[in-house]
Amino acid sequence: MRVSQKVALVTGAADGIGAATAELLAEHGAAVVIGDIDDRGGTEVRDRILAAGGKAVFVHADISRPAEAASLASAAETSFGRLDILVNNAATFVLMGIDATPEDWHRSLDVNVIGTALVTHAAVQVMRRSGGGAIVNLASISSFVAQPQFVTYSATKAAILQMTRNLALDLASDGIRVNCVCPGTILTRASRDHMGRVGMSLADFIAAEAPKHLLNRVGTPREVAHAILFLASDDASFITGTHLMVDGGYTAV
Ligand SMILES: NC(=O)c1ccc[n+]([C@@H]2O[C@H](COP(=O)([O-])OP(=O)(O)OC[C@H]3O[C@@H](n4cnc5c(N)ncnc54)[C@H](O)[C@@H]3O)[C@@H](O)[C@H]2O)c1
């Protein structure tokens, strides 16, 4: 994959899909800015990349805070001189139904939609100075299908899907491609937290989730990272404004 010599910013890269993506981009030669609110996880990912001979910096940033969101793109320019790739991965998981309060809605929208928009705005300024770029957003099967008691989360993932198309249109003339990946169920801290909330064991969770995917299993963060790497790379140079399902066939039938 052609990302060698490129500079990438991955939000929410302290764990899960974001961490796997940061490490895979670094393995393929990109310098990586790791943005997250989790300092311990973020510095661990940074140290693993450095130990493997890659280039990385960690920046503490809550993407729902405008100044912190903007600081991520600045860090890319300060540390590595440019920005070519943005992976909008950070998200909060407010899994609520009709009884969600205004505060629940704000928590979900402020991070997943507005935070993503804030990071993207700052990143685009640096990408323009760098001569173009590629943005990969994390949408979801939840952008397409209804799941019980998920409306506060699914609404944000549907928004990300449409933001991908709108921004692909608006940024094409800047040489910036915008795409998204739509994972099925992936085993991460977020899914483990969900199991904890609903009182499910790992075995029960997998038994419930695996059959929803044609491949009869859940996915790994690394499998999503490979799809992100492709869309971020020059190998996807004629692909913009679209989504790639990484869902083991969940939405095929
Ligand atoms: N796990 C799944 O099954 C699944 C499925 C479809 C889509 N996704 C999407 O993939 C992305 C990553 O999910 P994951 O499962 O790896 O989650 P995760 O919880 O393992 O990782 C998310 C990371 O985002 C960080 N984060 C949360 N709020 C933040 C904020 N305000 N500012 C900066 N960082 C913040 C967390 O600290 C964490 O490191 C999300 O966008 C999610 O919606 C996940």
Side-chain angles (χ1 to χ4, degrees):
M1 295 290 173
R2 290 182 289 162
V3 295
S4 176
Q5 311 301 323
K6 291 190 190 285
V7 178
L9 161 58
V10 185
T11 66
D15 211 333
I17 294 167
T21 302
E23 295 193 57
L24 191 61
L25 285 164
E27 281 169 33
H28 285 258
V32 184
V33 177
I34 297 156
D36 207 293
I37 49 175
D38 173 356
D39 293 356
R40 199 174 80 175
T43 51
E44 281 173 6
V45 173
R46 178 201 62 196
D47 291 347
R48 282 203 297 274
I49 291 173
L50 295 177
K55 291 187 189 138
V57 293
F58 168 68
V59 179
H60 175 99
D62 177 342
I63 63 163
S64 67
R65 296 171 183 257
E68 294 182 30
S71 74
L72 292 167
S74 307
E77 202 166 31
T78 308
S79 305
F80 303 119
R82 55 188 294 119
L83 180 62
D84 307 290
I85 294 166
L86 166 63
V87 182
N88 278 314
N89 169 80
T92 192
F93 296 82
V94 181
L95 304 178
M96 306 276 296
I98 187 63
D99 293 327
T101 64
E103 291 71 29
D104 295 325
W105 276 108
H106 275 297
R107 273 195 299 134
S108 194
L109 291 162
D110 285 355
V111 176
N112 296 8
V113 178
I114 299 175
T116 298
L118 294 171
V119 173
T120 304
H121 176 261
V124 163
Q125 314 313 312
V126 184
M127 282 182 175
R128 282 180 174 144
R129 287 196 284 280
S130 308
I135 299 173
V136 184
N137 296 323
L138 269 288
S140 172
I141 51 170
S142 308
S143 311
F144 294 90
V145 298
Q147 295 151 289
Q149 307 296 313
F150 254 55
V151 67
T152 41
Y153 174 75
S154 299
T156 68
K157 291 289 138 179
I160 293 286
L161 174 65
Q162 189 56 29
M163 285 162 73
T164 298
R165 297 172 178 140
N166 280 69
L167 291 174
L169 171 64
D170 292 345
L171 299 174
S173 58
D174 291 305
I176 299 173
R177 297 183 297 103
V178 189
N179 293 291
C180 64
V181 294
C182 303
T185 306
I186 310 297
L187 210 50
T188 64
R189 180 168 65 186
S191 30
R192 289 198 167 85
D193 288 348
H194 179 60
M195 289 173 224
R197 272 194 300 274
V198 298
M200 245 184 183
S201 68
L202 177 61
D204 288 346
F205 179 77
I206 290 175
E209 288 300 313
K212 298 176 185 171
H213 305 72
L214 294 185
L215 298 179
N216 200 27
R217 64 176 177 84
V218 299
T220 66
R222 183 93 174 173
E223 289 177 306
V224 182
H226 275 290
I228 295 170
L229 171 66
F230 167 63
L231 289 172
S233 77
D234 289 343
D235 293 340
S237 53
F238 198 50
I239 302 178
T240 196
T242 196
H243 61 273
L244 176 56
M245 306 307 300
V246 190
D247 69 351
Y250 191 117
T251 51
V253 289

